Every structure is written in C-alpha cells, then in structure tokens.
Amino acid sequence: MGVTLAYDTWGECPHTLLALHGFTGSGASFGHLRPLLGRSVRVVAVDLPGHGRTPLPQKTGRDGFLETVDAIVQLARGLGGHVDLLGYSQGARLALGAAVQAPECFGRLIMESGSPGLHRRQERSERREADAKLVDFIRAKGVDAFVERWEALPLFDGLRRLPEAEQAALRERRKACTAEGLAGALETLGLGVQPDYWPSLHRQRLPTLLLTGDQDVKFTTLARRMAAELPVVWRHAFAGVTHAPHLEAPEEYVREVLSFLQTPWYEAPQFEPAILAREAAHP
C-alpha cells in the first residue's frame, strides 16, 4: 500500500504550501517560520520516512525513494492538488522528484539547497558506499554520536553562529530521531539511490525558485547549473549563509519565498503551427 506520510498543518490562509524537511529533521523543522509565514499560507509540514512519525518505506534503495515520491504526490492530491511545494536538502530532492512525476498536482516549486541527482553511475556507486559507511556508524554508535559528527561538518558552519538556544533546539530535534530511522532514510532516500533528474529539468514546467547560501559553494554552483536547464526559474543566494538559509536567515528567507509565491505569472499562449507560419511570413 506504500508509505503514509504524517504531517502537521498550520497557517491561516487557504493557499497551501507543502513543506519537506532535510535529513535529521521533521515537520517541526519549519516551526520557527510560523510567525512569519502563518498569515500568508497554510503550511502542511511533512515528516519524511524515517523521521518523526512516518515509518520507513516498505521498499528499499531506489524503489524506496520512488515509493516516497508517490506518497508525496498522493498527499498533494488529497489536499486538492495544485499545491505549492517547498523542500530543503533531502526534501528538495524529493520535491523535484514529485514535480517531475506529477506536475499537474503542484503550482510552484521551491528548492532550498537541493540537487537533481548524480549523473554518472560511478558517482552514484561511490555515494552509496559512503552512505553505507555512515549507516554502519549510526547503527554501531547511536544517534547522539552521529549528531555530534553531523553537526561538525563544514556544510553547517553557519548554524554554529546561531544563538545557543536555537542551536540547542535544533540538536534536540536531531536527537529525537532513531538510529534505525536515520540509517533507513540514508538507504532509501540518499543521493546515491535517487534517480538522475538532470535530463528531466528542461521538461519541468513549474515556476521554480532555487535558494542557497552564497557560502555553500557546492549547492550554489548546482543551482546555477539547474537554472540554465529549467524553463521557468528564479534563483537567490543569501549573503553570508551556508547550507540552511531557512534557519540562518529566516526573515530574508520568508521574504524571498512569499515574493515568489505571490508574484503573478502566466503561460504563453499556444498557437497552432499554421498561425506561427503565417506570422513568420508576415512579421
């Protein structure tokens, strides 16, 4: 029957934003944005598989990733369809997968520090091997030891500049995960098992916003490459920010998100080939 995603809903506006958190997070990862977003959108904050209240997919590897994408699409349909979709890091990769699979279910796509996948088979194999070693570490040492190792990554330098109370709350959310949940999430949702969505970007017609921190060189470079492929795209890099703009610069982050969601856009009219030929002959 597939995985069923747990979620919480908050906000006063009927306009729905489906929010997907990153690895070691949960739907509560976006809770600090509630005072800034709650009057403008209705946020449906999901617990992704292996996190919070959502169990791991029944399938493993790539099939587990696709099972999760299916669950996101089914949730969007249950919410009435044509919802906007926001994802951070791991959540951004899954959001892109859902947008590629069922674009009719979504209005606009926001990817924060996300990747379309690894294009080369060797890269995917190497990433799976690296994730397998991390899985072994989690299962052998437990969540606390893993969180200490995870928080020390240069990717999260910006988070170490947050006020101590905010760092402590983030650490507690991470430690609320289970070892088996995190290990299973790496095995089923990791970059090494994700499909390669690069070839699909030029067909991805949803208006898309790519957000990164300008100190996160890897993902800002990825965003530039994605922007060159996507037909309808905006991009913003937050100054002095690393991998988690929604935590490091929440006010500026919300301004960018709401500006994107509230900006009108339209699709160019579709003309019949005969009309196009006639206009070309008589400019």
Side-chain angles (χ1 to χ4, degrees):
M1 294 179 62
V3 66
T4 299
L5 300 172
Y7 62 89
D8 291 312
T9 302
W10 48 263
E12 304 171 6
C13 180
H15 189 98
T16 300
L17 178 65
L18 186 58
L20 310 178
H21 62 82
F23 182 62
T24 74
S26 69
S29 298
F30 298 102
H32 67 293
L33 300 179
R34 186 169 183 169
L36 302 170
L37 272 178
R39 293 185 179 180
S40 301
V41 293
R42 178 176 70 125
V43 174
V44 176
V46 171
D47 289 343
L48 290 170
H51 301 77
R53 298 157 295 168
T54 298
L56 290 167
Q58 297 176 9
K59 300 175 183 176
T60 58
R62 177 188 172 110
D63 289 341
F65 189 97
L66 294 175
E67 181 181 331
T68 303
V69 169
D70 285 340
I72 295 167
V73 170
Q74 292 306 316
L75 176 56
R77 287 177 174 148
L79 294 169
H82 211 65
V83 300
D84 293 324
L85 185 57
L86 178 152
Y88 162 62
S89 197
Q90 171 188 260
R93 296 188 284 106
L94 288 161
L96 177 59
V100 168
Q101 176 173 312
E104 71 280 1
C105 291
F106 305 103
R108 306 186 188 197
L109 172 65
I110 302 170
M111 294 181 64
E112 176 190 355
S113 304
S115 167
L118 299 174
H119 196 54
R120 297 178 180 176
R121 183 178 301 176
Q122 182 177 348
E123 289 179 314
R124 291 194 294 272
S125 177
E126 291 172 353
R127 181 56 183 257
R128 286 195 297 271
E129 290 178 6
D131 283 350
K133 291 178 181 178
L134 199 53
V135 164
D136 290 342
F137 179 90
I138 294 170
R139 287 177 171 148
K141 302 295 185 179
V143 172
D144 287 359
F146 167 73
V147 168
E148 183 176 348
R149 175 175 171 175
W150 186 250
E151 290 183 338
L153 292 174
L155 194 66
F156 302 119
D157 281 348
L159 296 178
R160 288 187 279 279
R161 295 193 291 267
L162 294 177
E164 183 55 40
E166 294 181 26
Q167 291 187 54
L170 175 59
R171 189 172 301 116
E172 287 306 307
R173 288 199 299 271
R174 286 170 166 166
K175 289 185 176 182
C177 298
T178 66
E180 192 53 41
L182 292 180
L186 278 173
E187 292 174 326
T188 58
L189 305 179
L191 187 60
V193 300
Q194 173 184 328
D196 175 13
Y197 291 119
W198 281 104
S200 301
L201 292 183
H202 74 280
R203 298 190 299 272
Q204 205 290 95
R205 299 297 181 182
L206 299 182
T208 301
L209 175 64
L210 305 175
L211 298 175
T212 60
D214 71 350
Q215 301 302 299
D216 185 356
V217 175
K218 174 182 176 180
F219 282 88
T220 297
T221 300
L222 278 172
R224 290 194 188 103
R225 289 179 56 201
M226 292 175 63
E229 300 289 333
L230 289 161
V232 187
V233 64
W234 290 260
R235 186 178 66 82
H236 182 79
F238 297 90
V241 169
T242 57
H243 191 64
H246 71 286
L247 291 168
E248 299 173 57
E251 292 85 2
E252 187 181 355
Y253 179 86
V254 168
R255 285 198 297 271
E256 289 296 325
V257 167
L258 292 181
S259 176
F260 173 69
L261 294 180
Q262 295 170 356
T263 297
W265 69 281
Y266 70 96
E267 292 183 280
Q270 300 298 308
F271 294 103
E272 294 297 327
I275 297 176
L276 293 175
R278 191 162 58 245
E279 290 184 347
H282 303 283

